[in-house]
Amino acid sequence: MTTATRSSYYSSGEHPHPEYELERLRAQALVFWPKELRHLQQLGLRPDMDVLDAGCGPGFITEALLGSLPQGTVTGLELDAGLLAQARGRLAPEEGGRLNLLQGSITEAPLPDAGFDLALARLVLQHIAEPARALTELGRLLRPGGRLVVADADDALWGSIHPGIPGLADVMELRRRHQAQRGGNRYVGRAVPAMMRAAGFTDITVEAVAVTSDELGMDALAGQLDVRARTALMVKEGVISEEQVERTQEEVRQFLADPASSFMLLMFLYSGVKQGGERR
C-alpha cells in the first residue's frame, strides 16, 4: 500500500486506531475476493502461477491468493514495515515455502526482471504520487506474456447508497482532498488504461466488480461506512471537526437501522498483457 515515493496511505503509528483500519481492510478483502478471484481466473490466473501481490499491506489478499494457487507461489511486496509485520505475523507458517514476503517499493522493487506470471496491484495506485512509474516497474517484473491486474477505485463511480446519507457526501469530499494533499488520487481509476498503454501493455480490459448489501447482507459492508475510523487521522490533523464526524456517524447509524436501506460498492479491475511472448 505504500511506495518509496510519497504515499497517501497511513504509515505505521500514524493512524489513531489502527485496529479499526485493519478490520476494515480484512472485511473489504472478504467481501470482494470471491468475485475478484473469478475475474482473475477469467483473465488467466492458474493454480501453478508465480504471482506478485504488489503493495500487499497486512496480507489479507496475499493469504487469499496463496489458497487459490496450490501449485504456485505468491510474493508479497510492501514498503511499510508495520504492515509487513502484520502479514508475517499471520502468515509465518507459510513463509519460505510457496510464500515470500519482502519489504520494498513497487516503483523500485528489490526483485529480478521477469519473475512473475501475474502481478496484482490492489488499491495501491490511488495512494501513490507516481502511478505511471509503478506500472512500468511492474511490467519489468512480469515475464513476456504475463498479465498485470490493477484493482482500484474511481470515486466518481464508487457505488451507491439508498436512501442517501446527507452528510456523507461532504465527508467523502474532505477525504478525497485530504488524500490528494498526501499525494494520492481517489480518481486514479479513469487514468489507468492510458497509463498501461504508455507502459507498453496490450490487450487492455476493464471489468467492474460490485458487492451489495442486498446480496451479502448489510453487516458485511457496514464497516466501510464507519465514519469515525475512516476520518480519525483527519480529525487529528484538523481537516474535519469531531462534531461533523459524530453528526454523520449518527446519520449512518440511522441508515444501517433501516431495513429498506441498500449499499453497493464498486471496484474496477484493469488488466493488460506484457508484450514479448506467450504466457506459459
Side-chain angles (χ1 to χ4, degrees), residues 52-55 106 119-125 135 138 148-152:
L52 172 66
D53 185 6
I106 70 169
L120 174 64
R122 186 182 188 276
L123 300 176
V124 178
L125 294 192
L135 295 182
L138 292 172
L148 170 64
V149 180
V150 172
D152 223 308

Side-chain angles (χ1 to χ4, degrees), residues 5 31 39 45 53 56 69 119 126-127 139 142 154 157 159 164 199 256 264 270 277 279:
T5 56
V31 297
H39 281 287
L45 180 71
D53 185 6
C56 67
L69 300 167
Q126 65 169 275
H127 287 296
L142 286 169
D154 188 311
L157 300 165
L256 295 175
M264 177 179 71
Y270 307 89
R279 281 172 286 166

Side-chain angles (χ1 to χ4, degrees), residues 98-144:
R98 295 189 303 110
L99 174 66
N100 180 29
L101 296 173
L102 72 158
Q103 190 170 4
S105 163
I106 70 169
T107 58
E108 296 178 83
L111 289 162
D113 294 355
F116 299 97
D117 301 302
L118 185 144
L120 174 64
R122 186 182 188 276
L123 300 176
V124 178
L125 294 192
Q126 65 169 275
H127 287 296
I128 64 178
E130 298 181 284
R133 180 181 171 192
L135 295 182
T136 298
E137 178 70 348
L138 292 172
R140 178 184 70 80
L141 301 176
L142 286 169
R143 296 176 177 129

Side-chain angles (χ1 to χ4, degrees), residues 24 46 90 103 106 111 134 157 220 226 253 260 269-270 276:
R24 184 186 70 81
R46 296 195 312 271
R90 190 173 55 264
Q103 190 170 4
I106 70 169
L111 289 162
L157 300 165
D226 188 339
R253 187 196 66 76
L269 299 186
Y270 307 89

